[in-house]
């Protein structure tokens, strides 16, 4: 039984040494996560921030009415369309918070989602006539998170106008 102990130690050492190159390669593996960036524009000021996640919902009618073309003396109405965007980021900079607060209504926003290389966008979402809906932040011992939601009246996805 004693003759097995030195062989077991040698086998364990061989396994450890053979795993070293794989550990090095694993650390050098290319990044595979997507890059998501949120940009807000108001008049002359534009700021961007990286996002952890973003989601988009479409509500063809939220019960509000907007005027349609007049027919004779009577004004017709049609349901208002709204697009709802929710995003999560690590932490918003004071400049970004200030711009978001100053322009709570009627700003333009862009969300660019790119692959690991970051070169060509996989998805480009552009919002016009946007309004801040909600903002919340969460703080924990090792994780901070900011959530932003806004609505927009006009939205295009990869250049296709949604309606």
């Amino acid at each position: 039984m004693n003759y097995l102990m030195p062989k077991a130690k040698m086998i364990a050492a061989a396994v450890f040494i053979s795993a070293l190159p794989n550990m090095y390669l694993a650390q050098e593996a290319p990044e595979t996560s997507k890059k998501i960036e949120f940009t807000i524009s108001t008049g002359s000021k534009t700021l961007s921030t990286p996002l952890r996640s973003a989601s988009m919902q479409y509500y063809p009618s939220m019960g509000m009415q907007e005027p349609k073309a007049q027919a004779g003396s009577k004004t017709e109405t049609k349901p208002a369309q709204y697009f709802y965007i929710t995003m999560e980021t690590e932490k918003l900079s004071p400049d970004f918070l200030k711009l978001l607060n100053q322009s709570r209504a009627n700003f333009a926003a862009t969300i660019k989602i790119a692959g690991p290389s970051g070169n060509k966008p996989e998805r480009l979402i552009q919002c016009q006539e946007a309004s801040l809906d909600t903002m919340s932040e969460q703080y924990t011992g090792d994780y901070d998170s900011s959530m932003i939601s806004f609505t927009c009246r006009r939205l295009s996805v990869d250049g296709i106008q949604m309606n």
Side-chain angles (χ1 to χ4, degrees), residues 54-59 82-86 150 155:
S55 67
M56 171 182 59
Q57 299 86 32
Y58 170 56
Y59 296 99
Y82 289 94
F83 300 92
Y84 193 72
I85 310 288
T86 304
F150 64 90
L155 180 125

Side-chain angles (χ1 to χ4, degrees), residues 1-2 41 55-56 62-63 73 75 84 92 99 111 119 145:
M1 182 81 86
N2 287 343
S41 301
S55 67
M56 171 182 59
M62 292 182 62
S73 63
T75 301
Y84 193 72
L92 293 173
L99 182 61
I111 298 172
N119 294 339
S145 179

